Amino acid sequence: MGLCLKLRTSHVLSAIVILGLLSLRVAECRNNHHLHNRVNGEYPAINCRKHSAVLTDFGAVGDGKTSNTKSFNAAIQNLSTYASDGGAQLIVPPGKWLTGSFNLTSHFTLFLHKDAVILGTQDESEWPPIPVLPSYGTGRDAPGGRLSSLIFGTNLTDVVITGNNGTIDGQGFTWWKKFRASEYNVTRPYMIELMYSDQIQISDLTLINSPSWFVHPIYSSNVLVKGLTILAPVDSPNTDGVNPDSCTNTRIEDCFIVSGDDCVAVKSGWDQYGIKVGIPTQHLIIRRLTCISPDSATIALGSEMSGGIQDVRAEDITAIDTQSGVRIKTAVGRGAYVKDIYVRRMTLKTMKYVFWMAGNYNQHPDPFFDPKAIPEINGINFRDVVAENVTYPGSLAGIQGDPFTGICISNVTITLTEKPEELQWNCTDISGVTSNVTPKPCALLPEKQGLNCPFPEDRLPIDDVQLKTCSA
Ligand SMILES: *[C@@H]1O[C@H](CO)[C@@H](O)[C@H](O)[C@H]1NC(C)=O
Ligand SMILES: *[C@@H]1O[C@H](CO)[C@@H](O)[C@H](O)[C@H]1NC(C)=O
Ligand SMILES: *[C@@H]1O[C@H](CO)[C@@H](O)[C@H](O)[C@H]1NC(C)=O
Ligand SMILES: *[C@@H]1O[C@H](CO)[C@@H](O)[C@H](O)[C@H]1NC(C)=O
Ligand SMILES: *[C@@H]1O[C@H](CO)[C@@H](O)[C@H](O)[C@H]1NC(C)=O
Ligand SMILES: *[C@@H]1O[C@H](CO)[C@@H](O)[C@H](O)[C@H]1NC(C)=O
Ligand SMILES: *[C@@H]1O[C@H](CO)[C@@H](O)[C@H](O)[C@H]1NC(C)=O
Ligand SMILES: *[C@@H]1O[C@H](CO)[C@@H](O)[C@H](O)[C@H]1NC(C)=O
């Protein structure tokens, strides 16, 4: 990676004297107009950048009051010109940087210093409307349009959003309040959304109080989400943590999420719109996730799954005071499939449900969904689960005439709450097998002794992505 030195003659001279080779690097850096000391330390990333600039070079003021939307846009516009020359990084220095929505560019890194806070503005005119997602056909909150995410990108390659645990604060309170009062006719913005993009990294940040979903990669591939602390009040509306949506090859690891909705929600479009676009979420790894979400799932599959969900591998999942473990949400009208789902090593404490599948999640974009579009749910595997203080071990409801099949549950120990429900496993329209599960499952999941439910042994390409050490 390039080591840029400030153009103080003495430094340059001594550097040249000490290390002849370094002079080349200095010359390289000299071409960069907005040069700065790379003093913010080292960080891991899919790619390092040759050029580097600081947000304040573009007139930004970190007082928490001045709007910096223009500065972010000007900086990124400027740095986009280096895309074909080694790329560029934008450093957000210590301070409180108020901004509206801004767009990223390719071969680009947004790096937050550990004491940097990006604040989402409350001025709604700084969140421009953008078209609704083609695979949703309508706004998710309201039938009107939707507003651009705080950090937005489309049709990009090689984008990194990272920091030494710097903070992005969506200041969601006013959005939640207005949403609850039904004062919006548009869909609230997300915190980070990348569409139609390849090679994405979002890592080592604290994200708080998004107006709605936090991290939303959609129609994208090769996505790495790592080391995020995501925090929102547990009663805030739709503050999902990470929502891979119609994405291929995604790895979500080492995240700690407290939120008012699903910690991770795997999606692929809604009813007839999702079916028409037809882009599945597949080859997804979720590992070392810790979740607290009393009214939602640790990992939800759906409810928007109309492009299909296949090959999801979740392991080393911890949840505390959370409504459910891995939950399948679907309905007639969704079409497509959820299949080849593998989960192992879940540790759960104080849960309403351990296993929850529902075929009646009847929330539709409009009345024009296809009643013949029935989803196929098949090959759902769980093993090595320990759960304490559980209200319902299993609520597994397929669709009448469209049973959920190939359910496999092995090596599961569930301890119930003090006053357990009478019907501990409520199973309808499902089939599968179990092994070594307590309490004893329903009759539709008969015991098959000695069975270990499968978990794939092969590696996915996203597992082989290596991070380089870059300097900021
Ligand atoms: C980028 O900013 C630098 C320094 O402000 C300036 O010299 C350069 O002309 C800008 N480049 C573009 C393409 O605007
Ligand atoms: C950001 O990207 C969107 C979608 O391409 C576009 O409509 C908008 O004008 C862009 N905003 C800026 C400031 O470039
Ligand atoms: C982005 O990519 C999509 C899918 O390839 C394409 O339909 C769309 O036109 C592209 N948009 C832009 C602004 O290039
Ligand atoms: C990042 O900051 C959050 C919030 O202060 C903290 O809980 C978390 O432990 C920090 N993560 C790291 C890796 O330092
Ligand atoms: C949405 O609300 C805004 C502000 O209240 C109003 O100006 C606009 O006409 C409304 N749009 C629709 C489609 O109802
Ligand atoms: C059963 O699950 C527990 C908890 O994850 C694990 O420690 C144990 O090794 C598993 N047993 C087998 C036979 O796989
Ligand atoms: C067990 O779960 C109940 C809710 O069902 C909760 O009120 C209680 O505090 C939990 N007990 C422990 C020991 O965590
Ligand atoms: C069991 O599940 C079925 C189907 O979802 C539901 O109709 C029924 O009320 C449930 N029974 C209990 C006791 O919860």
Side-chain angles (χ1 to χ4, degrees):
M1 81 239 72
L3 172 70
C4 281
L5 295 177
K6 203 173 175 181
L7 284 183
R8 249 190 245 126
T9 322
S10 62
H11 281 196
V12 174
L13 283 178
S14 54
I16 291 170
V17 171
I18 294 162
L19 256 182
L21 257 184
L22 202 58
S23 62
L24 276 176
R25 292 250 166 85
V26 172
E28 205 173 82
C29 292
R30 205 192 277 272
N31 292 333
N32 183 354
H33 293 284
H34 24 267
L35 193 58
H36 79 106
N37 269 322
R38 294 203 175 184
V39 294
N40 294 295
E42 297 191 323
Y43 67 92
I46 50 173
N47 277 309
C48 303
R49 311 300 178 194
K50 184 166 149 191
H51 302 272
S52 185
V54 183
L55 187 61
T56 44
D57 296 347
F58 298 87
V61 181
D63 62 1
K65 293 190 188 107
T66 309
S67 172
N68 294 296
T69 314
K70 284 199 174 73
S71 299
F72 273 106
N73 277 315
I76 295 166
Q77 178 80 35
N78 181 305
L79 295 177
S80 69
T81 61
Y82 299 112
S84 57
D85 178 30
Q89 68 185 355
L90 178 63
I91 311 276
V92 183
K96 289 192 159 85
W97 309 94
L98 188 71
T99 182
S101 168
F102 61 88
N103 291 350
L104 302 179
T105 187
S106 291
H107 305 290
F108 175 78
T109 297
L110 182 70
F111 178 91
L112 274 72
H113 183 279
K114 70 177 169 52
D115 299 319
V117 182
I118 294 180
L119 289 172
T121 181
Q122 314 270 293
D123 177 354
E124 283 172 32
S125 70
E126 297 219 52
W127 303 78
I130 57 172
V132 298
L133 295 164
S135 58
Y136 285 70
T138 182
R140 197 68 189 69
D141 291 347
R146 63 191 201 114
L147 301 183
S148 185
S149 300
L150 184 60
I151 301 181
F152 179 74
T154 191
N155 302 69
L156 304 181
T157 305
D158 180 15
V159 185
V160 176
I161 306 171
T162 191
N164 286 332
N165 206 15
T167 300
I168 305 175
D169 178 352
Q171 304 203 90
F173 300 92
T174 52
W175 298 96
W176 306 331
K177 201 170 150 216
K178 284 184 76 173
F179 173 74
R180 285 197 187 102
S182 303
E183 281 171 27
Y184 286 127
N185 54 15
V186 291
T187 292
R188 285 166 290 160
Y190 303 136
M191 181 172 277
I192 299 174
E193 181 174 72
L194 289 159
M195 297 173 57
Y196 303 113
S197 296
D198 184 39
Q199 299 176 54
I200 298 169
Q201 173 185 340
I202 303 168
S203 64
D204 303 310
L205 294 169
T206 296
L207 310 180
I208 62 179
N209 297 338
S210 176
S212 179
W213 301 351
F214 277 87
V215 176
H216 186 221
I218 180 164
Y219 320 129
S220 292
S221 50
N222 302 310
V223 180
L224 175 61
V225 175
K226 186 177 168 67
L228 298 184
T229 300
I230 296 181
L231 306 171
V234 294
D235 60 354
S236 54
N238 311 103
T239 48
D240 303 28
V242 183
N243 290 5
D245 197 341
S246 295
C247 286
T248 291
N249 241 348
T250 301
R251 184 170 125 203
I252 300 168
E253 63 190 18
D254 302 309
C255 290
F256 177 84
I257 303 176
V258 181
S259 86
D261 211 312
D262 303 322
C263 286
V264 173
V266 183
K267 297 178 183 286
S268 63
W270 205 7
D271 285 9
Q272 67 273 31
Y273 305 103
I275 293 170
K276 185 165 177 222
V277 171
I279 308 177
T281 286
Q282 56 189 352
H283 312 309
L284 167 64
I285 295 169
I286 304 168
R287 59 166 72 114
R288 298 185 300 270
L289 167 70
T290 301
C291 170
I292 300 177
S293 184
D295 297 317
S296 295
T298 311
I299 299 172
L301 306 170
S303 71
E304 306 90 337
M305 38 62 68
S306 303
I309 296 174
Q310 183 168 24
D311 188 8
V312 176
R313 306 167 181 203
E315 57 187 345
D316 300 304
I317 307 298
T318 302
I320 304 153
D321 194 11
T322 292
Q323 190 182 38
S324 61
V326 177
R327 180 181 179 193
I328 296 177
K329 304 192 233 181
T330 188
V332 169
R334 294 283 193 273
Y337 51 83
V338 175
K339 57 188 179 189
D340 308 331
I341 309 299
Y342 307 94
V343 182
R344 69 177 172 192
R345 298 194 300 260
M346 286 204 291
T347 306
L348 310 173
K349 193 176 159 99
T350 302
M351 307 289 291
K352 189 161 182 202
Y353 302 93
V354 175
F355 302 104
W356 195 10
M357 301 180 191
N360 63 348
Y361 206 89
N362 292 318
Q363 209 181 51
H364 299 286
D366 55 43
F368 309 116
F369 63 92
D370 177 1
K372 291 198 219 67
I374 57 169
E376 178 199 351
I377 313 299
N378 180 33
I380 315 295
N381 302 279
F382 297 94
R383 76 177 204 214
D384 307 340
V385 178
V386 177
E388 284 172 34
N389 198 23
V390 167
T391 308
Y392 299 95
S395 174
L396 306 174
I399 295 170
Q400 212 179 357
D402 172 33
F404 297 177
T405 56
I407 296 170
C408 182
I409 306 178
S410 68
N411 185 26
V412 174
T413 305
I414 297 171
T415 314
L416 298 170
T417 48
E418 278 174 21
K419 292 182 200 149
E421 301 291 327
E422 223 159 271
L423 188 60
Q424 292 169 1
W425 292 80
N426 185 4
C427 306
T428 49
D429 302 299
I430 61 147
S431 67
V433 289
T434 54
S435 177
N436 191 18
V437 175
T438 52
K440 189 179 176 348
C442 54
L444 292 178
L445 295 174
E447 166 86 12
K448 193 173 163 192
Q449 271 191 359
L451 171 79
N452 281 321
C453 300
F455 194 96
E457 293 302 327
D458 63 320
R459 287 170 73 82
L460 293 175
I462 192 70
D463 249 325
D464 293 327
V465 169
Q466 300 288 326
L467 298 183
K468 300 165 188 167
T469 300
C470 309
S471 49

